[in-house]
Amino acid sequence: MKTRITVLFAATALAATGLASAAPIAFDDFNSYTVGASIAGGNGGSGWGGAWTGSSVVAVRATDGSDSPMSGNALGFAGNSDNAASRSLVASVSGNVWVDFMFQFDGGQMNNNDFLSMWFGPSSGSNTVPNIGLKTNCGSGNCTADLFVRLSGTGGTFTTAVNMGQTYRLVGHLQKTNPANPASTYNRFDLWVDPSESDLTNLGSYDVRATGSTTLSSFSTIGWRAAELDGSPQDRLLVDNLGLYTSAPLQARGNDVPEPGSLALVGLALLAGVGVRRRKAQA
């Protein structure tokens, strides 16, 4: 009996290595908030050190079938603010960190330099870096790429021409080239757009990379900046399933639900254990 249980446990554990990454540092799917209400004061999700602060340009919105794979509620941006929404973490982060969220340009008109970014660390207005997000047409119209990461300045490194109404998954890896030294500063930021699980296990498969110096060695706050969004017609942007992780978010969505293939592997492991039991019973 002990041998059979040990074999079964080992097989199940082996299969489970294909499951999603470790539990998040912090996560919010925005589903616990009232639709139409400001995000300010919202205290859902996990891993946060306090409620959201927010400006009037940010409200909770309900998604619909056209927003898939978003579901439930999302964070909606319709207006401009250097500190549109921000939130503190339970604990300060000083190591390499992954950020994962869904994004959609939901309505309005896409013009040069329509801007929405997530930033790390204390807010310093329009100069808060590092950040990740949307800066349409490379800002100036010199290219058609719209998604970016940057560590300094007002530019960035760009990928992907965004289509109105299409949902994208952005995964960023904010790093230090000397992670063993907590006092060192972040100096590399990789971005994947709609990555597969195999993409995220290959750190060299990023779509774009930003490098350079920052003054940030740790952070305990994240926030969002919206700029250059038009009011006529009103630009509307959505963000959903926001998570921060210490390891690559392989299919991660808050509670780390395994993908179907991984569940199948666990099932096969359990069946293997049943087979062992039956053979012993027939022997």
Side-chain angles (χ1 to χ4, degrees), residues 89-279:
L89 303 171
V90 166
S92 179
V93 176
S94 61
N96 293 350
V97 63
W98 295 79
V99 56
D100 184 6
F101 60 91
M102 292 182 179
F103 165 79
Q104 184 185 126
F105 203 119
D106 183 53
Q109 183 175 333
M110 295 180 65
N111 301 309
N112 292 346
N113 208 36
D114 289 342
F115 185 90
L116 178 70
S117 74
M118 177 183 159
W119 43 259
F120 301 77
S123 174
S124 55
S126 62
N127 297 317
T128 306
V129 287
N131 49 30
I132 176 174
L134 172 83
K135 187 177 174 70
T136 52
N137 298 329
C138 295
S140 61
N142 291 330
C143 80
T144 59
D146 302 308
L147 303 177
F148 81 103
V149 284
R150 71 182 177 200
L151 295 169
S152 62
T154 59
T157 55
F158 292 85
T159 183
T160 309
V162 167
N163 295 318
M164 182 78 71
Q166 181 175 339
T167 298
Y168 300 85
R169 181 188 178 197
L170 278 67
V171 177
H173 190 201
L174 181 61
Q175 306 159 68
K176 301 175 177 181
T177 55
N178 184 18
N181 178 9
S184 63
T185 58
Y186 291 101
N187 59 0
R188 181 181 296 169
F189 206 168
D190 296 343
L191 170 61
W192 289 257
V193 178
D194 292 333
S196 65
E197 183 171 317
S198 61
D199 288 335
L200 297 180
T201 59
N202 176 7
L203 297 187
S205 68
Y206 55 85
D207 292 307
V208 288
R209 166 177 285 176
T211 58
S213 60
T214 71
T215 60
L216 190 69
S217 60
S218 64
F219 64 93
S220 57
T221 305
I222 62 93
W224 295 88
R225 177 182 179 233
E228 304 293 335
L229 300 184
D230 299 324
S232 182
Q234 179 64 67
D235 292 336
R236 302 186 308 274
L237 284 63
L238 299 177
V239 168
D240 198 9
N241 290 338
L242 170 64
L244 296 172
Y245 303 85
T246 57
S247 57
L250 308 180
Q251 309 299 329
R253 285 295 181 268
N255 292 327
D256 295 321
V257 178
E259 62 176 339
S262 297
L263 286 173
L265 287 174
V266 174
L268 288 174
L270 292 172
L271 288 174
V274 172
V276 169
R277 180 178 180 180
R278 286 179 176 174
R279 284 193 297 272

